[in-house]
Amino acid sequence: MTAPTLFDQPARPVPAPAGAGPAPRTYTITLKAGLKLLNANQRPHHHQKAKITRELRGAAMEAVAEHDTLMTDLAAAKPGPLLQRAHILGVLHPATARRADPANWYPSFKAAVDGLVDAGVLEDDDHTRLLGPDMRLGSVVKGGQLVLRIRELAPGEQWPDLKAATR
């Protein structure tokens, strides 16, 4: 077992700038441990990849359904999506303490984010609505586990400027 990391701590709301209105909503979605995950370095048969993708999407929808606060907020937001814009931090809790590159599990995080869209948390996961998922490594969990930390982007909160420098 490894020592707890920053990403093992409960999510704390980010304070809104003075006069910006209420603090953005935050949610932590924890998928059940032991799910089969997709790794960008794997080359599974397309039927196997589709099956794992479906399972991850379904697991994310199930985790949303088990989150009481999120379900209450989703019901209040109907018929539209809960969040207009959000940032997602994806934490990979590996099954072992071996070295890991959490970005290699992007296909798993993508499937889980698609499950959030299916559940109505976001209307879509395109660049106008979603920043991330940014993948990080958490502590070891038996069987491995994905955790999604969702933070609503407040109205007027700007995206980072990622334009290349011009000469």
Side-chain angles (χ1 to χ4, degrees), residues 79-154:
L82 173 62
L83 304 175
Q84 297 302 313
R85 296 173 54 228
H87 171 255
I88 295 180
L89 174 70
V91 181
L92 168 69
H93 291 277
T96 67
R98 294 183 351 201
R99 291 179 1 157
D101 179 355
N104 284 339
W105 275 268
Y106 178 78
S108 295
F109 287 110
K110 170 65 174 146
V113 169
D114 287 343
L116 297 179
V117 172
D118 295 343
V121 176
L122 292 162
E123 184 175 351
D124 197 2
D125 59 350
D126 64 41
H127 75 284
T128 66
R129 296 174 182 93
L130 182 63
L131 182 60
D134 296 327
M135 285 92 45
R136 301 292 183 264
L137 192 62
S139 61
V140 172
V141 169
K142 185 176 180 176
Q145 187 173 47
L146 295 182
V147 176
L148 302 173
R149 300 247 173 107
I150 307 163
R151 183 177 69 87
E152 178 179 34
L153 293 174

Side-chain angles (χ1 to χ4, degrees), residues 50-69:
K51 178 181 181 225
I52 296 169
T53 299
R54 271 193 314 276
E55 290 170 357
L56 288 167
R57 283 178 86 145
M61 289 177 54
E62 183 179 321
V64 167
E66 293 172 354
H67 193 291
D68 294 335
T69 304

Side-chain angles (χ1 to χ4, degrees), residues 19-86:
R25 295 173 284 189
T26 60
Y27 305 95
T28 300
I29 304 300
T30 304
L31 278 63
K32 61 185 173 186
L35 290 170
K36 180 110 173 107
L37 301 178
L38 293 169
N39 183 308
N41 292 331
Q42 298 167 331
R43 300 291 181 254
H45 186 274
H46 63 94
H47 289 293
Q48 181 67 11
K49 182 178 178 185
K51 178 181 181 225
I52 296 169
T53 299
R54 271 193 314 276
E55 290 170 357
L56 288 167
R57 283 178 86 145
M61 289 177 54
E62 183 179 321
V64 167
E66 293 172 354
H67 193 291
D68 294 335
T69 304
L70 186 51
M71 287 305 293
T72 300
D73 292 352
L74 271 168
K78 292 297 178 199
L82 173 62
L83 304 175
Q84 297 302 313
R85 296 173 54 228

